[in-house]
Amino acid sequence: MTAITVPTRDTVSPANQAMFDALQGQLGFVPNLYATFAYSENALGTYLALQSAKSSLSAKAREVVNLVVSQVNECEYCLAAHTALGKMNGFNDGQIIDIRTGTAPFDAKLDALAKLTRAIAIRRGHADQALIDAFFAAGWTKENLVDAIVTIGDKTVSNYLHAATRVPVDFPAAPALNVQRAA
């Protein structure tokens, strides 16, 4: 098996070096998965633009999507990163576990988002109409639906990159999920 190592600032293009510098300034470090995008001349910039794009979803709602999709895709890297980000966005440990199972029983609107996100991720977009109807009934809009799907795509990209490269996780590990839910 060919090992994929994390590129360093000195081994990436000047454009990617500038992005490494910006990430270092913003986050205090360059996350390994972001660095791995820099094997491509364009992927890191493209991915960062997607992640920072305007959305009708709040940061908290986007973390729901990120956690659900990362759990469906069993991405230990993104689960670790988004557990930390979920806490920064106001979720407690128990709520994060709930979200990872595809529910948010503590908030009806986020619960509809979590359930629909899980179905979309598992069924590759083919969600049950009842879940879409429940999403709208909970107060979400068509714009929110589109933005949730864009966020699902964003997270799927990073989940797949980690699955293919297995670069080291540089966030505290997410707790094990001992609950199995039916697809």
Side-chain angles (χ1 to χ4, degrees):
M1 182 173 126
T2 302
I4 304 289
T5 58
V6 178
T8 63
R9 184 186 184 285
D10 294 336
T11 63
V12 300
S13 71
N16 282 331
Q17 286 177 354
M19 285 182 259
F20 275 36
D21 294 345
L23 288 165
Q24 182 71 38
Q26 293 167 0
L27 306 175
F29 75 113
V30 178
N32 287 342
L33 197 59
Y34 283 172
T36 304
F37 276 103
Y39 273 115
S40 164
E41 178 65 27
N42 302 301
L44 178 59
T46 299
Y47 188 72
L48 292 174
L50 177 61
Q51 275 210 316
S52 62
K54 290 183 180 182
S55 176
S56 65
L57 300 180
S58 68
K60 197 168 192 171
R62 287 179 17 183
E63 284 312 311
V64 168
V65 174
N66 291 333
L67 285 161
V68 171
V69 173
S70 295
Q71 185 64 53
V72 167
N73 291 328
E74 299 175 354
C75 181
E76 66 180 330
Y77 191 99
C78 294
L79 284 169
H82 290 289
T83 293
L85 289 168
K87 289 178 184 178
M88 291 171 57
N89 278 284
F91 293 120
N92 65 39
D93 291 336
Q95 291 170 329
I96 289 170
I97 294 296
D98 286 337
I99 293 165
R100 287 174 53 196
T101 67
T103 64
F106 52 88
D107 182 297
K109 192 169 182 179
L110 293 178
D111 190 54
L113 174 63
K115 288 175 177 173
L116 179 59
T117 296
R118 186 170 188 278
I120 288 171
I122 288 172
R123 299 195 60 220
R124 293 173 282 174
H126 299 278
D128 193 344
Q129 187 61 47
L131 291 173
I132 296 170
D133 293 343
F135 176 83
F136 291 133
W140 296 103
T141 66
K142 292 173 188 168
E143 179 183 21
N144 298 145
L145 176 63
V146 172
D147 286 341
I149 292 168
V150 169
T151 305
I152 291 166
D154 160 359
K155 196 46 41 205
T156 300
V157 168
S158 61
N159 292 171
Y160 285 14
L161 182 63
H162 186 259
T165 64
R166 307 299 301 162
V167 296
V169 178
D170 50 359
F171 288 89
L177 187 61
N178 296 324
V179 178
Q180 294 296 323
R181 295 180 53 88

